[in-house]
Structure formats: structure tokens, C-alpha cells
Amino acid sequence: METKIFTIDPLNFKPEDLEYAASVINAGGLVGFPTETVYGLGADADNELAVKSIYKAKGRPSDNPLIVHVDDIALCEKYVQKIPRKAEILMGRFWGGPLTIIMKKSKHAKDCVTAGLDTVAVRMPSHPVAHELIKASKTGIVAPSANISGRPSPTVAEHVIKDFNGKIDCIINSGATRYGLESTVIDMSMDVPTVLRPGAVSLEMIREMFPDAVYGGGGTGTPKSPGMKYKHYAPKAKVTVIKGEITKAFEKSAENVAVIDYDYNKDLYKGKIFLPAGCDDSDYGARLFYLLRKADEEGAQVIFAADPKGGSNVTDALRNRLYKSAAGEILVIE
Ligand code: AMP
Ligand code: MG
């Protein structure tokens, strides 16, 4: 299959520029497209065959439900039994943006989208290209991250091309994504607002409106957010998170080491592959997946990654993804 690749400037494009991509969605095809979180692999949420082809293309386990992306509340209402009042308040504050809301599903939300659950996850992206693509397609678009399952999520179109060129119909290149981490997932199908996956909308921000909001899903039994139980974000190199002085960890490794640390520590790592995380955790979050892939490209066998320093809305999300990529491998250096 030939994959058509379009470059679209998110600050300067016309609705017509998305006509082709929308026609692919409407014909049951797959489109790689940018959102403000990461690149998504999009299909028509109402087309069962198209939805199933997403699972197949990604190698995604079929018990891991998808998020329906919408461009307005009316489209959201189609997939949801009734929008709870508290969810409506969250929408008013955080949509479009990196917040996915789980609600009781309507008959219209297909089982292949929700993996048979009685709830559905919905998000309204703020990215102008994503917004326009949904609008032009006139349907909800399911869009998991556009990577082979288990690999770091794509934050630039080149990552999508690497994983899916020749396998999907179309890829839209709009440069780097803003947050670089997947959306916050919050369950509003019960009384207590429960964050199942941290993202750029932090628990603290949600507590400003609902002080009883909690993290959940990490308990025993079936995880409420099925996706959280899978291996995630793994580059080929082995990742270790370092709490403390990274240079002291070098003695423990003779292999080809890449270091992810804040820019101001750069001079400590002469002769090593240095991957700059920026100045703070928002930079680090935006770059994490990019740097994990970069380490592989540079031939690193081991990645030592600085523990996030805190102080940002995205710190919890960054730590969550980083620790998963390290499969819990954390080295504390006193
Ligand atoms: P992804 O599309 O790869 O960013 O993953 C979507 C995340 O939302 C996964 O962790 C899913 O398990 C989670 N999710 C989607 N729908 C539901 C739902 N109805 N209930 C709980 N979690 C969900
Ligand atoms: Mg994903």
C-alpha cells in the first residue's frame, strides 16, 4: 500500500487541505495525524472493520479500549448515555485539551471501541489539524497513539512514518506535538472523579474543581483502565531511572550509555551520548519519547535517565511514562 504523506502547517492551513484525509477516514482507512498530546492513528469510530484494523496495525491487545475523539459536545453526546454534570464542568474547563473523560456509553458506541465495557472514553483535542480532521470526517475518530504497541509513542511524524509507512493510507505531518505525553484519563462514570492515567491535566488541577478526585485503577483485580497493565514505551536500549548523581552510575555499566538529563548538566557527560531533556519537567515530558527513540538511533545499549525534578503539571505523567519505560528499574545513588 502506498502511504500518502501530507505536510500541513497547523498555524496556516485551509479546511480543504484535510479533505483527502477525511475521505480516507470515511472510506474505512487509517490516518496518522497530529494532536497536542502525541500523534494518533485514526479510524472512523462507527466502522467496525476500520476499528479492528487499528488493533491489527498496532498489534494492540483487543481488551484495551480506544478513545473516541470529537470536535464538539453534540458529537460526544452520540457516544454517551448522558453527560454527567461533573463531566460537563470538566469539559468546560479542559476541552479542547489533553483530558479524556470516561462515561457510561450509549448504544451507538461499538463494542470493538470500548472492548466490551459499558463505558466509553471521549476526548476533544485542541490541535487545529485534529479538530479540522474530525469536523471534515463528520464522525468520531478513534485514535490510539500511532506506534506499534509497546514502543514509545510518536511525537513527530517521522516516528509514525517509521512504524507505519506502507501499512496505512495517509500520514499528516504537522511537526512536533506540544505535550509529548498521552492525555490524562479520568473516570467520571462513578461519583468520585478517578484519574486512571496521569497526563498534562494534573490531579491537582482537577482537585481545584473536585477536591475529592483521586488516582485509581492501580488496585488488585481487573484494572479499570485496561491499557495500564501492558508493557509500554520501551525502546530497544535498557532504561534505568537514576535518583542522584548519574555520573556515579557509570561505574556500574561498561556498555554504550546514553544519558537523559536537564540541559544544565550537559558538561558532566563528555564522551557519553547526551540527550537533552530541556530545563524543566514540561520540556522533559515533551521530549521523553523522542529521546528514547533517539537513544536507539544512536546505538545506545543502556539509557540512564534523570528522575524528574518535579514542580510541573506534567511531572506525575512524565514519571509514570518514564518508570514504565524502565519497567520499574530505578537506581538510588546516595
Ligand atoms: P491510548 O489510546 O493508547 O492512549 O490508550 C487509551 C487509554 O484509555 C488506555 O489506557 C485505555 O485502557 C483507556 N481507556 C479507554 N477506554 C476506557 C474505558 N472505557 N474504561 C477505562 N479505560 C479506558
Ligand atoms: Mg498508546
Side-chain angles (χ1 to χ4, degrees), residues 88-256:
E88 201 173 40
I89 292 169
L90 288 179
M91 289 170 188
R93 168 80 173 77
F94 297 112
W95 277 13
L99 180 71
T100 295
I101 303 181
I102 293 171
M103 292 162 282
K104 288 264 185 286
K105 74 172 199 120
S106 71
K107 284 201 293 275
H108 197 88
K110 293 198 177 305
D111 275 347
C112 56
V113 171
T114 65
L117 299 174
D118 62 355
T119 52
V120 63
V122 189
R123 177 166 102 82
M124 186 194 290
S126 64
H127 195 291
V129 171
H131 190 89
E132 193 56 43
L133 176 63
I134 302 163
K135 192 169 163 206
S137 305
K138 299 189 174 64
T139 179
I141 295 183
V142 284
S145 50
N147 55 290
I148 303 293
S149 269
R151 307 252 308 126
S153 299
T155 56
V156 293
E158 287 73 17
H159 298 162
V160 186
I161 294 168
K162 185 133 199 253
D163 282 9
F164 292 112
N165 198 16
K167 296 182 186 145
I168 63 175
D169 303 275
C170 167
I171 295 172
I172 299 169
N173 182 352
S174 296
T177 59
R178 175 174 172 190
Y179 295 108
L181 299 169
E182 303 84 349
S183 60
T184 305
V185 176
I186 188 163
D187 190 345
M188 299 302 289
S189 68
M190 303 163 309
D191 213 37
V192 177
T194 306
V195 175
L196 303 181
R197 175 173 79 180
V201 174
S202 67
L203 180 60
E204 227 170 45
M205 288 156 78
I206 291 163
R207 280 188 176 153
E208 281 171 20
M209 321 182 87
F210 303 116
D212 60 334
V214 290
Y215 277 131
T220 49
T222 313
K224 266 296 266 180
S225 184
M228 299 307 279
K229 71 173 184 266
Y230 291 108
K231 181 168 173 272
H232 261 87
Y233 319 119
K236 293 191 188 81
K238 183 179 177 309
V239 182
T240 303
V241 177
I242 310 285
K243 291 189 178 188
E245 253 180 70
I246 296 182
T247 48
K248 288 193 182 151
F250 290 151
E251 298 147 26
K252 298 187 190 332
S253 180
E255 294 152 301
N256 200 11

